[in-house]
Amino acid sequence: MDRCMPLLILLLMGRHGLCQQDEVCSKSLINSCDDCIKSGPYCAWCQTLNFTKDGEQDAVRCNTRAELIKRGCKENEIISPKNKRNIAKNDPLSTSQNGQVVQMRPQKIDLDLRPGLPVSFNVSFKAAEGHPVDLYYLMDLSYSMKDDLANVKVLGTDLFAALRKITNHARIGFGAFVDKTVLPYTNTNKEKLLKPCDENDQQCQAAFGYRHVLSLTPNKNDFEAEVKKQFISGNLDSPEGSLDAMMQAAVCEDKIGWNSNSTRLIVLTTDAGFHMAGDGKLAGILEPNDEQCHMENNLYVKSTEMDYPSVGQLAMQLEKNRIQTIFAVTQNVESVYKELSKMIPKSEVGVLSSDSKNVVQLIERAYNALSSKVTITHDNLPEKVRVVYRPICSHGEKSEKEGVCDQVHVGDEVIFEITVIADTCMENEFFTISPRGIKDTLTVTINTTCKCQCDTAGPIIDPHPHCNMSGSINCGICSCKEGHVGQFCNCKIGNKEEHTLRASCQKDNGTECEGRGDCVCGRCECHNTDSGSQYYGSYCECDDDHCEKFQNQQCGGKGRCKCGKCECNSGFEGSACQCKTSDEACRTVNNSVCNGRGICKCNQCECKGGYQRPHCLECPGCTDPCQTKVNCIECLGFESGPFKKNCSEACKTISSEIVKEAFTLSPKECKQKDSEGCWMTFKLVQLVGEDNYKAEIMEKRDCPKPPNVIAIIGGSIAAVALIGILLLMLIKLLLYMKDLKEFRKFENEKKKSKWAEADNPLFQTATTTVANPTFTGGD
């Protein structure tokens, strides 16, 4: 009891003292009781007749309860809806397994809320003794886990003995995983797919992604028998398909055999990291994981077609199916799984020994850590609804996401104070609150009160004298009959339409009478301001209470507020009459005010067009006058250029002086080319005013020398003659080269010809016939 006293004192202080919210009514445009209660959780409406004074709008009926009573409204005439709650189902908590187990109460609650007004209720939780436990052992069977598998095969007896300490209703199942059977995760050679282990290993099963081996059973002999049939397998890379296996174990409820009333556990044992969403792209697997069950013959058949799940997808399905996770991993990947555990609700990480001999002790410790931490959270929370949890336990903190109590033992009852706030109007919205990993659920139904239910004392009078017999009373104000308008229905529309009359009370199609008056028969009747004065103007747009302040005084105390603007007393100026009328700081050395290029306000120069303070002397962004005044300099100094004929008129703002040797003015020297191509040298200084200059012009211009015509003509003729000679020589050279080429060709052909000593068949040698004249042909 002594230990509880400080806690109770703190709770009372938090509820009634330290955390109490000030009641404030921030009114906006109020035309009815409904508008009032929607304006804020602490706004109340007074329905007393004649509560408003002359010139006051009905919006004064809307304020906090304390302010309305202060103004004379009776307590029973104030309308301010309160929150209502109804516990629809509140079965008592169960402490054992006799009958239906109830670990959380209440189970259903209906809330009727006022927007913005918080309501609180308590939720109790007590873990039932001997609650059923379903443990699904999910093991990595890659080659590096060979020694661990040998120890797991004889694990059944010890594991069941450990679970018996927790409950008499325990069941165990078994599943195994390696990785996707595609490159680059697994060797896809046919022989390697069938036997991915070393050649010396005779007992090796074919490569696979995830296989469900044994559904949840209370028989330890079945567990040991099925596990003994398992052999090691293998893959290529280090990360494994752990998330694939966990997703299927979570969503395949019928295959695994999860009990709807049990505490569900997945124990994942591995010595490697895990692949996650996106890694499937390495194998050309682009289809995202669909979070559905794809088990055929106890094998995950979509392993090679669907990407790994993301951590977010897995966390959502584990929470949805009330599954708590124990990561039994080796020390080399402990940090990886601790980071993963932060993203998965109700999970713990334990370090395996190198051969997994300590797995039973690890599971026992992890389960105790999980079961001793009670976390309640919400689901399907509607928009514009806020929930805050405040655990009433020694190890808990206030949070808007979840309520957590740690170091809770079986049989201990813990309480959570839950505060719900609906920020807007809604009907029949609901959300659920439940402990993580537990089936029990609290359903919270929300409706809001956004309309006034006004009580009228005495008989209902319709029409009512208060409304000039042209309307009835609703929540203290008049509801006019058709054809009548006004605060007291005292304006008869006649042949005019109501919207036409109301339009004449709107400035630039804005708010009627600027929200500061009532439109009566097409004219604005203005209300009073908070200070007691009255708004005025055709549309009640003016008041004399809201002008600019200086030193926390309206118009600095040196003027009068007139329609939102200050009219200053003599000797003061400025938007808030904050300045004395003076131009002392605006005066220059030449006794001008702002150099004639600005006006003096509040004893400071407001410069024109780019000139800078303090005295509007320089204009960095202005065009250089050396360029803009060059035509005037030409006509003033040399009587030439575009302004030659009207120089005195066009350049009357410049006073000029011709100098022969040196300038007397200090500004930079200008050098510009005139219309004749000569360079003019001059200086310009700006006098008081925007376009008023004094110029000094150097007498001599730097003009270019005229061209030598004879040299140009002679040079041209010589150039033409030279070009002609060069062309002739080029032609001669080309002809010579051509002839030389032909001659060499002839010489080459001559050398190649061969002469043979043979008779010409056409040639006939000469013959000589000698006749002896004395020969007679005889002997």
Side-chain angles (χ1 to χ4, degrees), residues 58 60 103 195 219 260 271 301 375 377 402 420 441 454 457 466 491 568 584 599 633 709 712 722 736 741 769:
D58 285 325
V60 299
Q103 299 182 93
K195 187 180 179 183
N219 193 324
S260 60
D271 64 348
V301 294
T375 303
T377 185
E402 59 186 21
V420 179
T441 301
C454 300
H466 183 73
C491 176
C568 301
E584 182 180 352
I599 56 176
I633 295 299
V709 178
I712 292 172
L722 179 61
Y736 173 76
K741 183 178 179 182
T769 305

Side-chain angles (χ1 to χ4, degrees), residues 192-213:
K192 278 292 185 180
L193 280 175
L194 294 174
K195 187 180 179 183
C197 310
D198 287 347
E199 295 180 359
N200 297 330
D201 262 308
Q202 297 301 318
Q203 293 181 324
C204 179
Q205 62 174 314
F208 63 95
Y210 162 67
R211 176 179 287 114
H212 170 58
V213 177

Side-chain angles (χ1 to χ4, degrees), residues 160-326:
F160 268 96
L163 290 175
R164 288 285 186 266
K165 297 177 184 178
I166 300 168
T167 177
N168 292 324
H169 307 277
R171 298 189 304 161
I172 298 182
F174 188 84
F177 66 91
V178 184
D179 209 344
K180 296 183 183 296
T181 55
V182 291
L183 283 172
Y185 317 115
T186 305
N187 192 333
T188 54
N189 182 285
K190 186 176 181 180
E191 294 180 359
K192 278 292 185 180
L193 280 175
L194 294 174
K195 187 180 179 183
C197 310
D198 287 347
E199 295 180 359
N200 297 330
D201 262 308
Q202 297 301 318
Q203 293 181 324
C204 179
Q205 62 174 314
F208 63 95
Y210 162 67
R211 176 179 287 114
H212 170 58
V213 177
L214 176 67
S215 297
L216 291 162
T217 175
N219 193 324
K220 66 181 180 64
N221 295 327
D222 291 345
F223 178 81
E224 289 186 345
E226 289 298 327
V227 174
K228 284 179 181 178
K229 296 177 184 178
Q230 301 305 308
F231 299 109
I232 212 71
S233 186
N235 63 325
L236 290 177
D237 63 340
S238 176
E240 315 295 3
S242 316
L243 303 194
D244 260 348
M246 291 181 69
M247 176 64 77
Q248 291 302 300
V251 298
C252 297
E253 187 170 359
D254 295 337
K255 299 284 185 182
I256 306 301
W258 295 113
N259 188 328
S260 60
N261 294 318
S262 65
T263 298
R264 302 175 176 183
L265 296 174
I266 287 180
V267 177
L268 180 82
T269 59
T270 183
D271 64 348
F274 52 87
H275 284 295
M276 65 181 76
D279 288 355
K281 292 181 180 180
L282 296 172
I285 301 174
L286 304 178
E287 185 178 350
N289 195 285
D290 63 0
E291 304 175 40
Q292 301 297 318
C293 181
H294 298 287
M295 298 288 291
E296 293 181 13
N297 297 322
N298 291 332
L299 195 67
Y300 176 35
V301 294
K302 292 283 186 178
S303 176
T304 58
E305 301 174 23
M306 202 169 287
D307 196 6
Y308 303 95
S310 68
V311 174
Q313 287 178 307
L314 180 61
M316 184 176 66
Q317 287 300 332
L318 290 173
E319 186 170 14
K320 179 181 177 182
N321 291 281
R322 300 182 291 105
I323 296 174
Q324 305 176 52
T325 310
I326 298 173

Side-chain angles (χ1 to χ4, degrees), residues 761-773:
L762 299 178
F763 177 73
Q764 292 182 0
T765 57
T767 58
T768 302
T769 305
V770 180
N772 189 353

